[in-house]
Amino acid sequence: QVQLVESGGGLVQPGGSLRLSCAASGTFVSINAMGWYRQAPGKQRELVASITGGDSTNYVDSVKGRFTISRDNAKKTVNLQMNSLKPEDTAVYYCNAGVRISYTRDYYSTYWGQGTQVTVSS
C-alpha cells in the first residue's frame, strides 16, 4: 500500500514563506510525476505545481516566481517552497503522485495525501 504524507503547513503572515514536504512510503516500483494541488473553501481543487520524473516543472500562473517545486528521488519526497505568500494562497494543499506499484502492472496509479492546511493572514 502506498501512502503520501504531507507536512509543513501552518499559519503565516502575508509576505512570509512556508515549505511543504510530502513523503511517499510503502511498497512500489517507481514514481513518475508528482505534484501539489490546493483547494480553497468553495472552490475546485486546482493544480499548483508539478514535476516529472525528468524534473520538468509546471506552475499555475498565480504562483509563478513565488513557488518552487522540487523532488528527491532517493528520499521519495516532493517539496513546495512557497515565498511571498498572499491571503489568496490560503487553502488545503494536497500532494499527488503517479506510482507504479508492481512490475506486473505496467501503468501508474494516482495517489493522494491527506492534505495540509496553509493559512495566510495577518
Side-chain angles (χ1 to χ4, degrees), residues 73-84:
N73 292 325
K75 295 181 180 180
K76 304 172 186 176
T77 59
V78 61
N79 304 302
L80 187 67
Q81 178 65 42
M82 306 185 294
N83 299 327
S84 302

Side-chain angles (χ1 to χ4, degrees), residues 37-104:
Y37 287 69
R38 66 186 178 187
Q39 187 166 19
K43 294 188 176 181
Q44 289 188 331
R45 189 174 297 190
E46 67 169 350
L47 175 64
V48 177
S50 63
I51 184 167
T52 68
D55 289 339
S56 294
T57 58
N58 181 53
Y59 298 91
V60 67
D61 285 347
S62 60
V63 308
K64 286 181 179 177
R66 300 189 297 122
F67 290 11
T68 303
I69 189 170
S70 62
R71 65 189 288 169
D72 184 329
N73 292 325
K75 295 181 180 180
K76 304 172 186 176
T77 59
V78 61
N79 304 302
L80 187 67
Q81 178 65 42
M82 306 185 294
N83 299 327
S84 302
L85 282 160
K86 304 175 181 180
E88 50 264 43
D89 295 317
T90 296
V92 178
Y93 284 70
Y94 297 90
C95 173
N96 163 284
V99 182
R100 183 180 179 185
I101 63 171
S102 167
Y103 286 107
T104 61

